[in-house]
Amino acid sequence: MSLYGTMRTGVSGMNAQANRLSTVADNIANANTTGYKKASTQFSSLILPTTGGAYNSGGVNTDVRYSISSQGTFTYTTSATDLAINGKGFFIVQGSDGVEYMTRAGAFTPMSDGSLQNSSGFKLMGYPYSSTEDPTIVINGFAGLEEINLAAGELNVKASESGYLHVNLPSNAEDPFSKTTSLVAYDSLGNTRKLDFKYSTTGTPNEWSLEVNYTDPVSGTVTPLLAATTLTFDTDGKLVSPTDITLAGPTTIGGGVLNPLEISIGGTSGGSTQLAADFAAKGDIDGIGPSGVAGYEISDDGIVYLKYENGDLAPKYRIAMANVQSPDNLKPLPGNVYAQSSDSGVVVMGYAGNGGYGTIISGALEDSNVDIAEELTSMIESQRNYTANSKVFQTGSELMEVLVNLKR
């Protein structure tokens, strides 16, 4: 065995333990970093072939691996924009360089420009929300994403489109009898429009008439929205027809357009009735009047809602998620973000709660998956092993000195 080889093997062992200590130092330093995934050093032997009966000492190689797929525990907060993923997947964020990355660090804060940025300055990305269909996504790339911006809805108006009104009409009322109730709708400018629903007996059993009008509060002008319509009930007091009505429009009132309204008045459950009880009514019409943003809500499937001062919730964005075939082989980058590598597989896009992706927890952060006790144990082991390898080097050096001194 070569004494030089012995010394080189000792140096190889010291370098390997130094690498292990470096990962331990990183892990301990980031033990409280949101979404941090620990690094570990794996050792593999380097064997040299034996020649002429002489043993050739080899060494040790190291490979750094990351436990990116290992989920950490959760810490709950009071901020609705603090987000954690329970399950597989990554948030998509954009750096100042305009490039998209993946991360599990969800400590997002609303900025003055309306963007949601985490503690490393990366902006959360997603798709505009649509109530009729899911956004079209590029499965294997980040095309089509846009910055989630909460300032876009600072003052919101949504014209009314539909609603319901379920009433009980007293079956024992003496003809003629009429009763009026009202619902408020919003026009295209956010003006409130009080709609009067007038129910009247027709003199025919199990029949009532319904008409809907709008009365201008200033001029007193009455605008018919629904001419007298016959409501027919069966002998059990349930509304047979019609079950839905359409209020005529668009009608321009004071500069705002009141769109056609689809109003549900009956159905298989909870519809209008004709029973021997007092007149009663319950109903609502959608729409939002001019209102500022008072807060935010994010559902477990990643829909971002703006909460307005009047209590209404308006969905604005759908948070995008991504994953790869081998998350542990992603390339870690500064800022606790990851990029696709040749070993990780291609990026696959999706949404929270479906397609194998985890759900989003609002008001929570994923903790680092570092175990301090385990890291301190590794530190002690590395320290002892480094010392032992240094003794090998020192012994080889002493033997070399003995060999040189033979000349004397």
Side-chain angles (χ1 to χ4, degrees):
M1 177 181 69
S2 169
L3 292 179
Y4 286 116
T6 301
M7 297 170 67
R8 284 194 292 268
T9 299
V11 171
S12 173
M14 287 188 288
N15 287 335
Q17 296 302 326
N19 288 342
R20 187 185 187 190
L21 281 170
S22 296
T23 59
V24 168
D26 264 352
N27 292 340
I28 293 176
N30 287 281
N32 294 321
T33 300
T34 299
Y36 174 80
K37 303 302 180 181
K38 71 174 183 178
S40 61
T41 303
Q42 304 296 320
F43 298 85
S44 60
S45 59
L46 177 61
I47 304 297
L48 298 180
T50 299
T51 57
Y55 181 78
N56 293 321
S57 59
V60 60
N61 287 327
T62 58
D63 179 45
V64 178
R65 298 181 182 178
Y66 297 88
S67 300
I68 299 174
S69 60
S70 175
Q71 181 171 296
T73 57
F74 299 122
T75 296
Y76 292 89
T77 71
T78 57
S79 173
T81 56
D82 281 341
L83 306 176
I85 300 174
N86 185 17
K88 298 179 180 179
F90 298 86
F91 297 113
I92 309 302
V93 293
Q94 187 180 76
S96 57
D97 55 1
V99 178
E100 286 80 13
Y101 303 95
M102 292 175 283
T103 187
R104 298 275 294 196
F108 295 104
T109 302
M111 308 303 290
S112 58
D113 62 355
S115 63
L116 285 175
Q117 294 187 22
N118 65 14
S119 54
S120 298
F122 290 90
K123 297 180 179 180
L124 181 63
M125 306 294 286
Y127 298 97
Y129 177 80
S130 171
S131 60
T132 58
E133 60 182 358
D134 285 337
T136 301
I137 64 174
V138 177
I139 297 176
N140 61 343
F142 300 128
L145 288 170
E146 65 178 58
E147 172 191 310
I148 292 179
N149 193 297
L150 303 181
E154 190 60 33
L155 196 62
N156 185 64
V157 170
K158 181 179 182 297
S160 298
E161 297 177 351
S162 62
Y164 75 96
L165 179 59
H166 297 163
V167 301
N168 179 67
L169 302 174
S171 62
N172 53 3
E174 295 185 3
D175 184 51
F177 174 87
S178 65
K179 188 70 175 181
T180 301
T181 189
S182 302
L183 288 176
V184 171
Y186 297 94
D187 66 17
S188 59
L189 297 181
N191 297 308
T192 57
R193 303 300 178 187
K194 186 170 72 73
L195 310 182
D196 298 322
F197 295 74
K198 183 178 180 180
Y199 297 87
S200 304
T201 57
T202 63
T204 301
N206 298 329
E207 284 189 0
W208 291 70
S209 68
L210 169 64
E211 60 182 273
V212 184
N213 299 302
Y214 168 75
T215 303
D216 189 287
V218 178
S219 65
T221 303
V222 176
T223 303
L225 300 180
L226 178 72
T229 298
T230 300
L231 307 182
T232 304
F233 295 85
D234 62 18
T235 55
D236 293 325
K238 295 182 179 179
L239 180 62
V240 176
S241 67
T243 57
D244 299 282
I245 59 174
T246 300
L247 304 187
T251 302
T252 302
I253 306 171
V257 176
L258 183 63
N259 294 326
L261 300 176
E262 298 292 331
I263 307 296
S264 172
I265 60 174
T268 57
S269 62
S272 297
T273 58
Q274 180 197 236
L275 301 173
D278 293 338
F279 179 87
K282 63 177 181 179
D284 193 19
I285 295 178
D286 66 0
I288 300 175
S291 182
V293 176
Y296 320 97
E297 288 190 14
I298 300 175
S299 65
D300 58 2
D301 57 353
I303 299 176
V304 180
Y305 296 86
L306 300 187
K307 186 175 183 179
Y308 291 93
E309 295 168 348
N310 61 2
D312 290 319
L313 290 174
K316 291 295 182 181
Y317 294 97
R318 185 80 179 266
I319 296 175
M321 294 185 69
N323 206 356
V324 293
Q325 290 87 345
S326 180
D328 290 344
N329 286 317
L330 286 169
K331 180 181 179 182
L333 296 172
N336 208 7
V337 296
Y338 306 98
Q340 177 184 329
S341 72
S342 58
D343 297 324
S344 67
V346 298
V347 174
V348 180
M349 301 292 293
Y351 300 116
N354 59 59
Y357 293 90
T359 57
I360 292 178
I361 305 175
S362 176
L365 295 173
E366 183 179 356
D367 300 328
S368 164
N369 62 359
V370 172
D371 185 332
I372 291 293
E374 181 181 339
E375 298 304 319
L376 291 177
T377 301
S378 297
M379 180 187 295
I380 295 171
E381 291 176 350
S382 295
Q383 180 183 9
R384 299 303 184 194
N385 292 338
Y386 190 97
T387 301
N389 279 284
S390 70
K391 291 297 184 182
V392 172
F393 181 89
Q394 182 179 359
T395 300
S397 176
E398 291 172 353
L399 291 176
M400 284 294 297
E401 183 178 358
V402 171
L403 182 62
V404 171
N405 289 337
L406 290 177
K407 180 64 172 64
R408 298 176 186 177

